[in-house]
Amino acid sequence: MKAFITHKGIAAPLPLDNIDTDVIIPMGPLMMTPRGELGKKAFMPLRYREDGSEAPEFVLNQAPYQRASILVAGRNFGCGSSREGAVHALEGFGIRIVIAPSFGDIFFGNCIKNGVLPVILEDAAHDSALQAAGITRGEAFFKVSLPDQIVTLPDGTCLPFDFDPGHKVRLLEGMDEIALTEQYRQDVLDYQEKDRRDRPWIWAIEHMA
Amino acid sequence: MSPATLFDKLWDRHLVTTNDEGLDLIHIDRSLLTDLSGTIGLEEMEQDDSAVACPGLHAAMPDHVIPTGSEDTPQQAKLRARFVVNLDRLSKQTGIRHFARGSGRQGIVHVVGLEQGFTLPGTTLVCGDSHTSTHGAVGALAWGIGSTEVKHVLATQTLWMKRPKRARVWLDGTLQRGVFSKDLILWLIGRLGADYGREHAVEFTGPVIEALSVEARASVCNLGVEMGARFALIAPDDTTFRYLAGRTYAPEPALWEAALEDWRRLKTDPGAQFDKEIYLDASEVTPQITWGISPEQVTNLGGAVPLSGADDGALDYMGLAPGQSLEGLPVDYVFIGSCANSRIEDLRLVADIVRGKRVAERVTAWVVPGSEAVKRAAEDEGLAKIFLAAGFQWREPGCSMCNAVNGDLVAPGKRAVSTSNRNFVGRQGPNARTHLASPATAAACALAGEIRLSQE
């Protein structure tokens, strides 16, 4: 996983609520496309017409937002299916940061696992980010610092955001989580040994077909 | 000890350790592996030559990709050759139990987990599928995860988690006759919004919940995630214990009493604190149907699209106008199935409504049982014959038209009434128009050929 520290880039406004992971990447294309090519299929239902041509009204088809690396989205972004391919499709398009008033919980977790930064900005802060993304038409960069937890708009406005310290460390260090958990192996074995005594019915299925 | 919520009791019992940054390492008692995220997780384990930590705590079965009766297209056959075949092969290779088609136990993971007694009160259960919240119906702490987390569970039998906040939805009153748990949860999503439960574990409680069967509770918890709740929870009670007794993986008689004693403590203590709480009278709930592209875009059956404030994109996609009444809209497909509503009680209800009647000419109507066990029971009870005589297709168990990656889909631009849980753009096929409803409403619409209130 890539480590995340700071990032500068074009921000695209996508002010729709409840953009679900089926819209970010429909399941059919997800299953038939290698991970490296998923970017082409990101937002397929919004981005392409039925005949496969680009829908000109969709923001990520418009210059300069085709080069956006930041998305300013609406409420409950990434709700729905747990498919991690939704994050892979965003990454494939070049999105490193999504700014929204709220996210689907599973999608949020999948972002952390893949080095994409989900930033929660509410109310006025979200409005100004959305406006800035629209007004500047991408000609000026947004800057996002995870260590400082600040989004800086092109006009210099600083928008601080909250971020869970545990998730922050994971993103900053881009660590291999399984290797990390191996360091707690003895704690897990101790837990299991005690639980086998306390709740034998949990473990009774282990040798059942 | 200070009073604790059901959620806190479940979380604390599974806490292995907490790291310096405040993330909790949670032990996972059960995991379900589908032919999608399960296959991907097992494939990655094979590539890395990693060992599965506790193979006996998992159950694998094909549901998402496996066909339910449609002829395989070449593309479909290719998908099946990878996802279904690899799940079988890798489960055998790693010693994970696998319920193949024809085993008598195959089906949708969220139907099978409960009916086999694999899900138990007080367990932590995960699956690479958002509707894992379903298993909260028996007092399990159950949640959907991504495929990186699936692999982490396979390798370590744990997950790093941030402790969620706690919410309680208290439902007072009694459901009216002809109103079902599916109507109840759609009504709640409409009132509270598709993100009410975000960052929370939501406990559903109160007299309305207590009066529901385990299968009806499963529909509530299933759509819990559609109101944003990654974790949906219902405290186990005598209804739960009666449901579980004698099921394949439920505690054997020698352990039953000890388990029961433990399970009876799994409830929120009086005075326990929630981060947010809402109290509603569910007596006013009427049959519900969605009109838009999010489950929160829902109205009373017989109701209409909002006159103003409705999302234009949703109206355009659904082919509807502001203020338009839903009643009488022609219906092309009726799908009775999915992890929301494909259990035996759902099928009995549908059979009662369609017995001796005929599906309207214009409607393609399917019943897809949730599992081989449900299918067998429905055939033994004579329900399958009723469906077939009424003009429904009676198919093999699987996710089918709910996720539309198995050859089963709604044709572009066509309107479907579906007992599934998602009306998202393209969910049931490119440009398919989905209206979510209860099995009773779906059955009535199949007979009428249009959106109509159940006669029942």
Side-chain angles (χ1 to χ4, degrees):
Chain A
M1 181 181 111
K2 284 174 291 195
F4 189 99
I5 299 170
T6 57
H7 177 81
K8 259 177 147 177
I10 294 172
L14 184 65
L16 297 171
D17 290 341
N18 297 321
I19 291 278
D20 56 75
T21 53
D22 277 83
V23 166
I24 299 172
I25 182 77
M27 191 53 92
L30 172 59
M31 292 174 71
M32 284 171 282
T33 311
R35 181 167 166 180
E37 292 165 36
L38 280 174
K40 287 182 224 157
K41 313 277 170 146
F43 296 108
M44 225 174 121
L46 300 173
R47 192 162 150 210
Y48 301 105
R49 291 173 163 162
E50 266 170 81
D51 63 5
S53 64
E54 285 190 356
E57 68 278 11
F58 183 60
V59 67
L60 295 180
N61 288 331
Q62 299 163 4
Y65 298 123
Q66 297 125 319
R67 293 181 286 113
S69 55
I70 301 170
L71 203 59
V72 188
R75 175 177 74 90
N76 208 20
F77 185 83
C79 61
S81 157
S82 59
R83 66 192 67 173
E84 203 156 321
V87 181
H88 301 158
L90 289 178
E91 268 186 308
F93 184 88
I95 302 290
R96 298 290 319 275
I97 300 163
V98 185
I99 299 171
S102 60
F103 291 90
D105 285 343
I106 305 176
F107 174 83
F108 189 95
N110 286 339
C111 284
I112 307 288
K113 306 283 179 206
N114 288 279
V116 169
L117 175 65
V119 173
I120 297 176
L121 286 183
E122 286 171 87
D123 309 323
H126 179 258
D127 282 350
S128 36
L130 198 56
Q131 264 195 356
I135 291 169
T136 54
R137 294 213 55 82
E139 282 159 24
F141 284 174
F142 275 47
K143 195 178 143 198
V144 180
S145 163
L146 178 58
D148 300 333
Q149 297 179 211
I150 287 176
V151 176
T152 309
L153 302 182
D155 68 2
T157 307
C158 288
L159 306 171
F161 60 88
D162 289 333
F163 210 75
D164 178 72
H167 292 153
K168 187 168 171 176
V169 169
R170 290 287 196 270
L171 270 173
L172 288 174
E173 296 181 6
M175 58 185 78
D176 173 358
E177 213 173 43
I178 291 178
L180 178 88
T181 309
E182 286 304 324
Q183 299 169 18
Y184 295 87
R185 191 182 170 81
Q186 195 53 50
D187 296 302
V188 177
L189 292 175
D190 291 347
Y191 170 92
Q192 292 180 336
E193 195 191 315
K194 181 174 185 307
D195 198 50
R196 280 173 199 274
R197 289 194 305 268
D198 291 351
R199 301 189 305 160
W201 59 90
I202 298 293
W203 299 88
I205 69 161
E206 269 195 298
H207 302 290
M208 292 172 72
Chain B
M1 290 256 290
S2 59
T5 68
L6 170 58
F7 167 79
D8 289 313
K9 291 181 186 183
L10 294 172
W11 189 270
D12 291 342
R13 165 173 261 174
H14 292 90
L15 183 61
V16 175
T17 189
T18 303
N19 76 2
D20 295 344
E21 293 81 37
L23 288 181
D24 289 341
L25 189 64
I26 297 293
H27 188 265
I28 304 301
D29 299 336
R30 299 281 186 269
S31 128
L32 291 161
L33 299 164
T34 74
D35 53 356
L36 210 53
S37 55
T39 304
I40 294 168
L42 284 167
E43 284 173 348
E44 289 184 4
M45 293 289 284
E46 187 186 35
Q47 281 156 22
D48 297 356
D49 204 18
S50 302
V52 175
C54 302
L57 299 182
H58 303 260
M61 69 207 74
D63 58 0
H64 282 63
V65 185
I66 198 163
T68 69
S70 304
E71 293 283 313
D72 265 3
T73 61
Q75 198 177 51
Q76 204 54 46
K78 208 173 126 191
L79 287 180
R80 189 146 71 110
R82 174 182 162 196
F83 287 100
V84 178
V85 172
N86 272 357
L87 184 69
D88 192 345
R89 177 179 68 81
L90 293 167
S91 298
K92 286 189 180 116
Q93 196 173 299
T94 52
I96 289 173
R97 64 177 66 72
H98 177 266
F99 305 151
R101 172 69 56 78
S103 65
R105 293 184 189 173
Q106 180 264 335
I108 307 174
V109 283
H110 309 312
V111 174
V112 173
L114 291 170
E115 80 186 4
Q116 296 294 333
F118 185 76
T119 315
L120 296 175
T123 51
T124 41
L125 180 146
V126 297
C127 173
D129 188 276
S130 55
H131 290 110
T132 308
S133 58
T134 312
H135 303 262
V138 294
L141 186 64
W143 68 102
I145 58 179
S147 38
T148 299
E149 290 176 305
V150 170
K151 191 179 162 197
H152 193 276
V153 172
L154 285 164
T156 70
Q157 208 58 38
T158 62
L159 278 176
W160 288 101
M161 298 288 295
K162 182 184 169 185
R163 190 184 192 109
K165 291 178 273 193
R166 299 140 314 168
R168 176 159 65 179
V169 176
W170 188 290
L171 295 160
D172 207 354
T174 337
L175 289 184
Q176 294 173 39
R177 188 176 147 74
V179 174
F180 302 94
S181 69
K182 181 65 164 291
D183 299 308
L184 173 67
I185 185 68
L186 285 172
W187 175 82
L188 275 172
I189 297 165
R191 282 188 71 122
L192 303 177
D195 64 349
Y196 174 84
R198 174 176 55 87
E199 295 175 15
H200 286 74
V202 178
E203 181 177 348
F204 295 95
T205 190
V208 168
I209 295 294
E210 284 164 21
L212 295 177
S213 69
V214 167
E215 294 193 0
R217 294 175 188 181
S219 305
V220 172
C221 291
N222 178 276
L223 278 94
V225 73
E226 308 309 329
M227 57 183 264
R230 193 178 190 183
F231 310 82
L233 267 176
I234 292 175
D237 58 9
D238 286 337
T239 303
T240 319
F241 309 143
R242 273 194 301 275
Y243 173 87
L244 287 169
R247 294 189 185 259
T248 314
Y249 299 102
E252 55 182 292
L255 293 174
W256 180 258
E257 284 306 322
L260 210 56
E261 196 190 322
D262 182 76
W263 295 347
R264 288 195 193 283
R265 289 193 291 263
L266 298 175
K267 53 186 171 197
T268 293
D269 298 329
Q273 294 297 307
F274 288 83
D275 297 284
K276 66 177 174 183
E277 207 167 353
I278 189 160
Y279 176 98
L280 293 163
D281 184 356
S283 306
E284 64 178 81
V285 180
T286 57
Q288 302 286 301
I289 190 160
T290 62
W291 55 264
I293 54 171
S294 161
E296 71 179 15
Q297 293 167 332
V298 65
T299 180
N300 299 324
L301 191 59
V305 178
L307 251 182
S308 62
D311 153 18
D312 288 340
L315 290 179
D316 190 42
Y317 183 80
M318 293 299 289
L320 296 168
Q324 185 173 346
S325 164
L326 296 176
E327 187 114 12
L329 272 182
V331 169
D332 307 297
Y333 288 79
V334 167
F335 172 60
I336 291 164
S338 89
C339 56
N341 286 114
S342 62
R343 298 176 180 83
I344 192 68
E345 289 173 13
D346 298 318
L347 302 196
R348 285 181 193 139
L349 176 63
V350 171
D352 278 347
I353 293 168
V354 306
R355 183 180 282 115
K357 303 200 173 90
R358 285 292 297 175
V359 167
E361 195 77 35
R362 62 172 293 130
V363 179
T364 302
W366 290 10
V367 181
V368 184
S371 69
E372 291 183 336
V374 171
K375 182 163 196 262
R376 204 165 46 238
E379 286 169 354
D380 290 348
E381 292 179 23
L383 310 182
K385 272 191 197 141
I386 296 170
F387 300 140
L388 287 165
F392 282 90
Q393 286 193 32
W394 174 242
R395 299 173 69 96
E396 298 300 321
C399 298
S400 185
M401 227 184 244
C402 174
N403 63 13
V405 289
N406 37 48
D408 299 350
L409 39 82
V410 172
K414 298 293 183 187
R415 198 172 293 284
V417 176
S418 176
T419 66
S420 56
N421 37 39
R422 289 198 170 130
N423 51 352
F424 297 165
V425 166
R427 173 81 180 186
Q428 294 198 286
N431 293 311
R433 292 167 168 167
T434 301
H435 297 270
L436 303 175
S438 75
T441 298
C445 295
L447 298 178
E450 58 185 42
I451 291 180
R452 189 182 288 181
L453 194 64
S454 167
Q455 305 290 318
E456 195 47 33

